[in-house]
Amino acid sequence: SLGEVKIENQGNTDWCTAEATDYMCELPDKEDFEASWAFAKSKELSGEPEEWGQDIRVALKTRVLYGALPKKSNPFAHIDPAQARRVEYWPDLTKEAEPYKKQSYYKITGPYDYFDNIRSSIFYFKDEKRAVGFGVDWKWPVEPPFIPKVDTFQEGFGHMICCVGWKIVEG
C-alpha cells in the first residue's frame, strides 16, 4: 500500500475527479489539497463549467498545467459549490499551486487484466508513491465489487476513484 486509505466525502457535488486527483497528489507531496479549486481549474480548462462531472484526462491535465492548491491556502471558510466550480469566483492562486505541478500522466496498459496491470503499476512506482486513478461504472447496489473485463458502461454513471494498494480477500 502507498499509504493510508482515504475516503473523501464529495457530498452532493460532481467533484470526484478533483477528489481523486487531489489524493493522487497528496501521497507524494505530503500535503492536503483543495478539491474545489482543482475542479474549478478543470472546468476552466474544459470550458464547460455547468456540465456535470469532468473527464478524467482533463482532471489529470489540470495537475500538469496548474498544480494543486494546499488547503491551507484556500481563502474561503466556505464557498457554495455552485460558485466553487467557476474559476472567476476564486482569486489568482497560481503561485500557491505551482510548486505542486506534475510533469505528466499516463495510461496504464500491459499484458495482464485490469486488476493486475493496476497492481503492477503501483508496485513499480511504489517508491514515488504514485497512485492509480481510474473510472468506474457506479451504480447501486455496490456489492459485490469487481473489475469487469469489458470496456463499456453497462448501466449507472461514471465515477473516478484512485487505488493506493490492494487486499486479497479469501473466499
Side-chain angles (χ1 to χ4, degrees), residues 10 12-18 34-55 62 76 79-90:
Q10 71 186 58
N12 193 23
T13 71
D14 54 340
W15 303 343
C16 63
T17 54
E34 181 55 50
S36 56
W37 179 84
F39 193 66
K41 294 303 281 184
S42 77
K43 287 300 188 177
E44 177 185 47
L45 188 60
S46 70
E48 301 169 338
E50 297 307 321
E51 186 174 306
W52 185 260
Q54 186 56 278
D55 181 270
T62 300
F76 303 112
I79 185 171
D80 180 271
Q83 291 179 325
R85 69 189 303 112
R86 301 188 69 88
V87 76
E88 59 265 21
Y89 287 103
W90 291 87

